[in-house]
Amino acid sequence: MSTPSTPKSNRMPVGSVQCDNTTLNLLKANDFVAKAIRDRLPEVLVINVCSSPGSGKTTLMQETGKRLRDKLNMAVLVGDPETDRDAVRMKEVGINALQIVTGGMCHIEAQMILQALDHIDLTGVDLLFIENVGNLVCPAAFDLGEDIRVTVLAATEGDDKPKKYPRMFLTSELMVVSKADLLPYVPFSIEAVTQDAREVNPTIEVMTISSLKGDGMDEWCNWLLAKVQEKKAKLATV
């Protein structure tokens, strides 16, 4: 009997066809659209805010808008599988916001952002937040044309997330530990979560915040103002 010329790992049943990795092709297409977003918003600092559901992203956006309303012009694109509740909450405190309803999808893709840009007025906007769908898995793979990715991790979630969901923390410039007012009441170690995050991503910055009590909010707002100025200064040298 002759030896098969095709390795067993590549052999397929009669009538089958080898398919390309469609996920890889999708991400390549997404990256192309992400570049188009960057080209379209050269003067706007775009920050992609990711987290699990219930981490306090929307409350953080609300409090940030209140504190920075006299210092810079801010807008928010809010992603959710259903409803526009979070965008309504933003508008109630005077923040320019638009809801992106993903129709059940567990993440936002760059093409959704590109479409949304046609429906929100960003004239004079310094800072555009993208509040991603609550999920620490899928959003990590999709570049949305952002300058910076921030991952919010609530103290109530446990301090083991950086090692369980490493890609999210690997691709983030900043980890914000939210709901810090609850730290005395939950088994969460700032030291442990920081160590794990920096083993995954040695350059990640770490910040601790309580949006409700105000702890750490000045540091967060000053960090944002500095990043906006950095982008403007970089643009001026081009």
Side-chain angles (χ1 to χ4, degrees):
M1 181 180 294
S2 61
T3 303
S5 59
T6 304
K8 288 183 178 179
S9 60
N10 292 337
R11 292 170 63 188
M12 298 174 293
V14 174
S16 66
V17 62
Q18 180 73 42
C19 295
D20 291 335
N21 186 327
T22 54
T23 301
L24 182 60
N25 290 339
L26 173 62
L27 292 177
K28 286 180 179 178
N30 184 86
D31 289 346
F32 180 82
V33 180
K35 181 181 183 304
I37 293 170
R38 290 189 175 92
D39 291 343
R40 183 164 171 175
L41 302 174
E43 299 180 359
V44 180
L45 181 71
V46 181
I47 298 183
N48 181 6
V49 183
C50 301
S51 79
S52 298
S55 69
K57 293 192 302 299
T58 304
T59 303
L60 177 59
M61 296 296 96
Q62 287 179 298
E63 294 304 310
T64 301
K66 293 176 185 177
R67 289 168 179 264
L68 293 180
R69 63 179 51 162
D70 296 326
K71 297 180 180 179
L72 53 76
N73 194 350
M74 168 181 152
V76 184
L77 294 175
V78 188
D80 259 326
E82 302 292 346
T83 84
D84 63 349
R85 291 181 178 179
D86 288 346
V88 170
R89 287 175 59 188
M90 301 288 184
K91 292 175 182 178
E92 287 175 347
V93 296
I95 299 172
N96 179 17
L98 178 69
Q99 187 80 40
I100 298 174
V101 178
T102 66
M105 288 184 64
C106 60
H107 60 276
I108 298 176
E109 296 178 5
Q111 55 88 9
M112 298 177 185
I113 299 298
L114 193 61
Q115 291 179 61
L117 294 181
D118 292 330
H119 299 277
I120 186 169
D121 184 7
L122 297 181
T123 304
V125 166
D126 305 296
L127 172 61
L128 174 63
F129 282 111
I130 300 170
E131 185 183 331
N132 218 312
V133 176
N135 184 347
L136 286 177
V137 182
C138 302
F142 288 85
D143 184 346
L144 302 182
E146 70 261 31
D147 298 289
I148 298 170
R149 181 174 293 181
V150 173
T151 295
V152 180
L153 176 62
T156 51
E157 293 180 66
D159 53 25
D160 59 350
K161 297 301 180 289
K163 287 294 183 71
K164 294 180 75 172
Y165 305 97
R167 188 169 186 178
M168 180 59 77
F169 295 87
L170 178 63
T171 58
S172 295
E173 283 77 22
L174 172 67
M175 176 177 69
V176 172
V177 178
S178 64
K179 304 186 181 182
D181 50 299
L182 299 178
L183 283 170
Y185 312 104
V186 294
F188 188 103
S189 168
I190 296 293
E191 293 75 16
V193 77
T194 299
Q195 179 177 333
D196 278 0
R198 287 185 171 152
E199 286 180 6
V200 171
N201 178 0
T203 64
I204 196 169
E205 297 182 65
V206 180
M207 200 176 293
T208 304
I209 285 175
S210 170
S211 300
L212 293 181
K213 300 293 185 180
D215 300 340
M217 287 300 297
D218 287 342
E219 181 185 5
W220 162 249
C221 289
N222 289 334
W223 184 86
L224 292 172
L225 290 169
K227 294 300 180 183
V228 168
Q229 290 305 313
E230 283 178 21
K231 179 152 189 182
K232 290 183 183 296
K234 186 180 296 184
L235 185 65
T237 63
V238 175

